[in-house]
Amino acid sequence: MDSYEAIQALHKSLPPFSPYVPASLLPHIALVLLASTFALAFYSSTLPKDTLPLRETAVASTASILGGFGVVALFCSVGVNV
């Protein structure tokens, strides 16, 4: 196993973290994702009731996924890094 000094030197030589998505884009991404979630939730509530609600389940699942990513983007844009 390497010594502590060698690991510390390796840590200091590594480049700093840089995110794939710039932090300045996060509020816009959050707005688009959360607005899409609202629109899909409204659409899901206006669908006719079927015996097997496959379309409703697909729309609601998509809205849920978009809402989850939108909330994470919103939290990261205000400085709560999750």
Side-chain angles (χ1 to χ4, degrees):
M1 188 163 172
D2 290 333
S3 68
Y4 177 74
E5 290 80 19
I7 295 173
Q8 189 176 18
L10 176 64
H11 177 72
K12 288 182 180 180
S13 69
L14 292 174
F17 173 76
S18 90
Y20 293 123
V21 178
S24 61
L25 287 180
L26 288 174
H28 305 291
I29 292 171
L31 176 69
V32 168
L33 292 175
L34 292 174
S36 300
T37 300
F38 177 76
L40 285 174
F42 178 75
Y43 175 70
S44 174
S45 69
T46 60
L47 287 174
K49 304 299 179 221
D50 296 331
T51 306
L52 289 172
L54 297 176
R55 185 172 47 169
E56 185 177 354
T57 303
V59 171
S61 297
T62 304
S64 176
I65 291 170
L66 290 176
F69 282 112
V71 167
V72 169
L74 183 65
F75 279 175
C76 289
S77 70
V78 297
V80 181
N81 294 321
V82 292

